[in-house]
């Protein structure tokens, strides 16, 4: 149509008059024609009713100890990071480790707290890797956790889930609701099932008792879409885990698109990012998938990534409890818009025009679509017809010249004339138009520069007082739990130690290793010497290790390779090329036994490895070829009690 109109405009001009000046006029006419044709009108109106209530934007701290390194930052950098995540003038987000929840509440007392089990203690399954065989035990455990949050940490948990991305059980959900109510926790609501829309939606429709038990239908990675059955339930719909994308500007574009379109397409009123903050070693799976990055407590460096400021486009100008207008949707030429009101005269409009290639999330696949620059006109009607001016906040992702602008306040108020205003929207932009006046692009001085993990590192695990965290700095537990411990049976140099405390394999979410392991250091380390004092507590069956060049963690830790030095309470040792101990490089008698302290030293240079026990060589020059680099680590041969002390690293290359 555009081409036909423009040709007609050209043909109206007589050939004899087609001089240069007239050609310019013709081209101007064509340009105006294009501008007019790409201009569209959109009504924002509340007189026909409102949409769903907005429940907020959140972040998950968990599912892999994703905030593990954050607590070890020195001040003032730790508080600065927490402010970016939680302060009202920055963002509203969620977290659920005790310390992190307390810090979030300090900064935003109205924050919502959610608990979602990924795994369960082994005793919950009574020997089975399944939490529903004894649903009364599982429900009692979850409710005890919620009661403990209040009793020991003064934290009120608002919602609780079932089992992350695994099967749900209707009987268990009903029993959990009953147990919560019986314990005086009627206010705690249930989210189900933190997986797919189906079968939970259909089962809720068919089962009145289940329908009464479930407050929220939560789904993971919905691709901004829902299903008819979910809408038929009448329940609130949440994208209870989303994003999970590398936090560069494409990741910011992904976040911008789904924050709008989860409601426009799927009527989802909350979107929760996995994860909250990328505060874990970057070479673990899903590196830098947080809304910001804080992975160097040893240097103090952190990075406020683009998703933080994209979130601010919504959270600084709305609150949970605001309501979406029914008049939201897609722009004709690509992108989307939402509008929310506090029903007291305030209005906030958020637009996004993210192109396909600049907003791809890690999952699910994103079908192709087109976005072009366009002129849009919003007509404010109903309650909003009298609005005369709006504040404007703007982000522009520039993928060509790297001149990206994030969350910039356009200082001049936007005039609304007779209830309407127009704006030219380029591609890859986010705008907020709002009557709310207290927006702020909070900032701090630049943090220290990035630096690698120290090549020389020691920890004697001696802590004074009662620390508010129990893990030693920079150790990242992949399986098992390593905690500070006061060893009252040892009056000598090993009073304060680090102890592995999980003694039964959990009801797992993924195929965790049969061994426990905690990693530390620089993944690029090649030649390395590690020493550690070790103490086995299990007579005859105990076993511990120290390791270098450990090359995997997270959900694939079971297949970790490296150089592992093991000693056992039965008086033997071995050196393996893998965590599960199948590839043996050396083995023999060590004379070790339980309840005696020993010092292990493991050295790797090039293709050769050697080890000492209490300063005496166990073996020399075992040959290895892979892996070529990786973390240092320590752990146990099973889920058992064992202690570690005086851990030291010297990176040789």
């Amino acid at each position: 149509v555009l081409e036909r109109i423009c040709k007609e405009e050209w043909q109206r001009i007589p050939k004899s008059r087609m001089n240069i000046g007239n050609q310019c006029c013709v081209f101007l006419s064509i340009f105006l024609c294009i501008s007019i044709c790409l201009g569209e009108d959109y009504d924002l109106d509340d007189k026909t009713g409102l949409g769903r209530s907005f429940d907020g934007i959140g972040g998950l701290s968990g599912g892999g100890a994703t905030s593990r390194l954050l607590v070890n930052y020195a001040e003032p950098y730790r508080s600065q990071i927490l402010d970016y995540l939680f302060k009202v003038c920055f963002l509203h987000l969620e977290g659920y480790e005790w310390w992190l929840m307390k810090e979030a509440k300090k900064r935003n007392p109205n924050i919502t707290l959610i608990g979602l089990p990924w795994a369960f203690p082994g005793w919950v399954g009574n020997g089975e890797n399944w939490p529903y065989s004894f649903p009364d035990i599982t429900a009692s455990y979850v409710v005890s956790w919620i009661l403990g949050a209040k009793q020991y940490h003064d934290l009120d948990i608002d919602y609780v889930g079932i089992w992350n991305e695994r099967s749900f059980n209707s009987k268990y959900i009903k029993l959990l609701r009953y147990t919560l109510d019986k314990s005086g926790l009627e206010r705690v609501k249930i989210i189900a099932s933190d997986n797919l829309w189906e079968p939970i939606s259909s089962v809720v429709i068919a089962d009145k008792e289940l329908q009464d038990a479930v407050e929220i239908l939560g789904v993971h990675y919905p691709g901004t879409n829902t299903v008819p059955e979910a809408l038929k339930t009448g329940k609130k719909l949440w994208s209870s885990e989303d994003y999970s994308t590398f936090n560069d500007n494409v990741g910011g574009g992904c976040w911008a698109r789904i924050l709008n379109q989860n409601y426009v397409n799927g009527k989802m009123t909350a979107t929760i990012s996995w994860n909250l903050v990328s505060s874990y070693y970057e070479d673990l799976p899903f590196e830098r998938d947080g809304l910001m990055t804080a992975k160097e407590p040893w240097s103090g460096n952190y990075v406020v990534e683009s998703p933080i400021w994209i979130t601010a486009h919504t959270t600084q100008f709305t609150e949970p409890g605001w309501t979406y207008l029914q008049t939201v949707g897609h722009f004709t030429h690509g992108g989307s818009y939402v509008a929310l009101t506090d029903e007291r005269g305030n209005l906030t409009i958020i637009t996004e025009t993210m192109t396909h290639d600049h907003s791809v999330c890690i999952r699910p696949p994103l079908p192709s679509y087109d976005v072009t620059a366009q002129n849009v006109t919003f007509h404010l009607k109903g309650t909003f017809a009298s609005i005369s001016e709006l504040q404007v906040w703007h982000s522009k992702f520039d993928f060509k010249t790297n001149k990206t602008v994030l969350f910039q306040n356009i200082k001049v108020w936007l005039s609304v004339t007779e209830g309407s205003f127009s704006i030219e929207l380029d591609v890859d932009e986010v705008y907020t138009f709002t009557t709310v006046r207290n927006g702020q692009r909070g900032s701090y001085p630049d943090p220290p520069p990035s630096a690698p993990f120290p090549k020389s590192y020691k920890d004697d695990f001696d802590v004074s007082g009662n620390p508010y965290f129990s893990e030693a700095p920079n150790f990242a537990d992949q399986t098992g739990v390593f905690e500070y411990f006061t060893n009252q049976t040892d009056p000598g140099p090993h009073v304060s130690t680090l102890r592995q405390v999980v003694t039964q394999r959990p009801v797992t979410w993924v195929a965790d290793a049969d061994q426990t392991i905690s990693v530390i250091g620089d993944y690029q380390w090649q030649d390395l010497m590690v020493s550690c004092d070790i103490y086995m507590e299990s007579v005859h069956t105990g076993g511990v290790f120290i390791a270098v060049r450990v090359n995997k963690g997270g959900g694939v830790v079971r297949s970790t390779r490296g150089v592992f030095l093991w000693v056992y309470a039965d008086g033997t040792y071995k050196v393996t090329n893998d965590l599960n101990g199948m590839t043996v490089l050396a083995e023999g008698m060590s004379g070790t036994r339980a309840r005696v302290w020993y010092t292990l030293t493991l050295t790797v240079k090039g293709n050769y490895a050697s080890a000492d026990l209490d300063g005496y060589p166990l073996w020399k020059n075992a040959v290895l070829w892979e892996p070529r680099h990786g973390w240092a680590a320590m752990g146990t041969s099973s889920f058992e009690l064992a202690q570690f002390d005086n851990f030291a690293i010297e990176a040789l290359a």
Side-chain angles (χ1 to χ4, degrees):
V1 173
L2 175 63
E3 184 180 12
R4 175 177 57 77
I5 293 173
C6 290
K7 284 182 177 178
E8 290 174 355
E9 181 72 23
W10 178 278
Q11 291 169 354
R12 285 196 186 99
I13 299 178
K15 301 295 186 209
S16 60
R17 295 178 55 194
M18 277 197 177
N19 57 32
I20 296 297
N22 289 118
Q23 290 180 37
C24 291
C25 291
V26 171
F27 290 131
L28 177 60
S29 298
I30 294 172
F31 173 76
L32 291 174
C33 172
I34 292 172
S35 298
I36 293 169
C37 289
L38 290 184
E40 301 288 347
D41 293 77
Y42 304 90
D43 292 343
L44 297 176
D45 195 351
D46 63 349
K47 64 185 177 184
T48 58
L50 295 171
R52 297 189 171 214
S53 178
F54 173 61
D55 293 313
I57 296 172
L60 284 165
S61 171
T66 52
S67 301
R68 171 63 194 93
L69 299 176
L70 177 57
V71 70
N72 304 131
Y73 269 80
E75 296 292 356
Y77 311 115
R78 182 173 60 201
S79 289
Q80 291 172 7
I81 296 165
L82 292 165
D83 285 349
Y84 278 111
L85 293 171
F86 298 119
K87 234 178 181 179
V88 174
C89 65
F90 293 88
L91 298 176
H92 304 297
L93 292 168
E94 298 152 11
Y96 64 74
E97 287 93 339
W98 304 126
W99 167 81
L100 191 58
M101 284 192 286
K102 292 176 188 177
E103 293 298 323
K105 282 285 188 182
K106 287 179 187 177
R107 291 159 173 81
N108 180 6
N110 296 321
I111 205 165
T112 298
L113 300 178
I114 302 173
L116 171 61
W118 258 255
F120 297 88
W123 54 264
V124 167
N126 197 28
E128 299 181 33
N129 196 47
W130 192 246
Y132 305 135
S133 297
F134 304 91
D136 55 331
I137 295 177
T138 305
S140 177
Y141 161 71
V142 171
V143 170
S144 295
W145 182 85
I146 296 171
L147 291 170
K150 183 63 175 178
Q151 180 178 352
Y152 296 102
H153 302 282
D154 196 26
L155 293 168
D156 291 311
I157 305 300
D158 301 294
Y159 295 90
V160 65
I162 308 306
W163 191 14
N164 180 70
E165 295 178 3
R166 292 295 178 261
S167 300
F168 68 91
N169 179 280
S170 296
K171 179 180 178 180
Y172 167 69
I173 295 174
K174 298 172 190 177
L175 187 57
L176 177 60
R177 180 71 270 162
Y178 170 80
T179 310
L180 286 165
D181 294 346
K182 185 180 177 181
S183 303
L185 295 171
E186 294 89 352
R187 61 171 183 77
V188 179
K189 306 303 182 183
I190 293 176
I191 305 173
S193 65
D194 286 297
N195 198 355
L196 305 175
W197 291 120
E198 292 289 17
I200 186 66
S201 297
S202 295
V203 176
V204 164
I205 290 173
D207 187 332
K208 180 62 167 61
E209 186 181 357
L210 185 65
Q211 189 174 97
D212 292 341
V214 173
E215 178 79 7
I216 306 288
L217 290 186
V219 67
H220 288 193
Y221 308 99
T224 75
N225 294 307
T226 188
V227 298
E229 287 74 13
L231 294 168
K232 289 177 185 176
T233 67
K235 298 291 182 184
K236 288 186 175 185
L237 310 179
W238 286 6
S239 178
S240 53
E241 184 176 321
D242 218 326
Y243 182 65
S244 188
T245 298
F246 193 79
N247 60 20
D248 59 4
N249 282 346
V250 173
C254 154
W255 191 230
R257 177 175 54 80
I258 66 177
L259 285 183
N260 265 23
Q261 296 194 28
N262 273 348
Y263 186 78
V264 170
N265 300 339
K267 294 297 181 283
M268 287 166 269
T269 55
T271 298
I272 300 175
S273 165
W274 187 88
N275 51 67
L276 168 67
V277 53
S278 178
S279 196
Y280 48 95
Y281 291 115
E282 66 177 20
D283 292 288
L284 289 168
F286 302 100
E287 63 178 279
R288 273 185 57 186
D289 279 9
L291 298 181
M292 65 179 290
T293 302
K295 59 183 176 60
E296 292 186 11
W298 51 87
S299 72
N301 179 259
Y302 63 86
V303 183
V304 184
E305 311 282 4
S306 62
I308 286 286
W309 300 118
I310 293 302
T311 312
H313 271 281
T314 299
T315 57
Q316 287 205 20
F317 312 106
T318 63
E319 291 283 349
W322 281 46
T323 307
Y324 285 98
L325 304 190
Q326 289 187 4
T327 49
V328 301
H330 292 276
F331 292 122
T332 303
H333 302 287
S336 65
Y337 62 98
V338 296
L340 302 97
T341 179
D342 62 356
E343 299 184 62
R344 296 191 298 271
N346 280 312
L347 176 69
T348 292
I349 308 160
I350 306 107
T351 71
E352 60 82 20
T353 52
M354 295 307 306
T355 55
H356 178 279
D357 292 352
H358 297 156
S359 67
V360 176
C361 303
I362 193 172
R363 69 191 82 160
L366 181 62
S368 61
Y369 64 89
D370 294 321
V371 181
T372 56
Q374 55 198 297
N375 185 285
V376 303
T377 299
F378 285 107
H379 301 284
L380 310 185
K381 299 183 177 182
T383 302
F384 315 115
S386 60
I387 292 175
S388 60
E389 58 184 13
L390 295 166
Q391 272 205 345
V392 183
W393 291 79
H394 175 237
S395 292
K396 168 67 176 177
F397 291 99
D398 188 332
F399 293 91
K400 293 181 179 179
T401 63
N402 199 30
K403 294 182 179 179
T404 290
V405 173
L406 293 171
F407 200 57
Q408 180 183 61
N409 183 211
I410 309 286
K411 297 299 183 181
V412 179
W413 282 77
L414 176 67
S415 295
V416 181
T417 305
E418 296 182 352
S420 300
F421 70 92
S422 299
I423 187 78
E424 290 188 13
L425 302 179
D426 199 358
V427 298
D428 298 328
E429 286 187 322
V430 180
Y431 275 100
T432 298
F433 309 97
T434 183
T435 58
V436 177
R437 297 170 176 265
N438 58 357
Q440 178 184 349
R441 196 187 193 283
S443 64
Y444 285 108
D446 289 342
S450 175
F453 194 94
K455 288 189 173 183
S456 181
Y457 185 84
K458 295 180 179 180
D459 196 336
D460 60 10
F461 309 124
D462 290 338
V463 289
S464 58
N466 184 24
Y468 51 84
F469 54 92
S470 61
E471 302 90 347
N474 305 320
F475 281 90
D477 302 348
Q478 304 302 297
T479 53
V481 175
F482 296 75
E483 294 183 341
Y484 286 130
F485 179 66
T486 300
N487 185 4
Q488 296 178 343
T489 65
D490 190 327
H494 301 293
V495 174
S496 298
T497 66
L498 197 68
R499 192 189 201 198
Q500 201 296 120
V501 297
V502 177
T503 58
Q504 186 177 3
R505 181 180 172 84
V507 176
T508 60
W509 179 67
V510 293
D512 292 351
D514 297 318
Q515 304 77 18
T516 72
I517 179 172
S518 187
V519 302
I520 188 171
D522 190 330
Y523 188 74
Q524 301 305 319
W525 276 340
Q526 297 179 10
D527 295 350
L528 193 67
M529 181 175 69
V530 175
S531 66
C532 186
D533 297 342
I534 61 94
Y535 183 88
M536 295 172 279
E537 298 188 43
S538 299
V539 178
H540 304 306
T541 60
V544 302
F545 70 82
I546 60 173
V548 299
R549 294 189 185 176
V550 174
N551 72 344
K552 291 181 182 177
V556 294
V557 69
R558 194 176 184 86
S559 59
T560 293
R561 299 186 66 201
V563 184
F564 296 81
L565 166 61
W566 309 78
V567 293
Y568 298 95
D570 65 1
T572 64
Y573 80 89
K574 67 178 178 180
V575 185
T576 69
N577 208 184
D578 52 357
L579 178 60
N580 61 22
M582 300 303 292
T583 305
V584 178
L585 302 176
E587 58 186 333
M589 299 302 297
S590 61
T592 50
R593 63 184 191 273
R595 301 176 184 172
V596 176
W597 281 98
Y598 300 97
T599 300
L600 300 181
T601 304
L602 173 63
T603 304
V604 176
K605 293 182 180 180
N607 295 333
Y608 299 96
S610 59
D612 292 353
L613 174 66
D614 287 342
Y616 295 95
L618 273 181
W619 46 271
K620 293 182 179 180
N621 297 332
V623 178
L624 61 125
W625 300 103
E626 296 291 342
R628 307 304 300 175
H629 57 81
W631 298 289
M634 62 186 183
T636 61
S637 61
S638 64
F639 289 91
E640 62 186 88
L641 297 174
Q643 297 178 53
F644 302 83
D645 201 1
N646 299 319
F647 184 87
I649 299 170
E650 290 292 336
L652 307 175

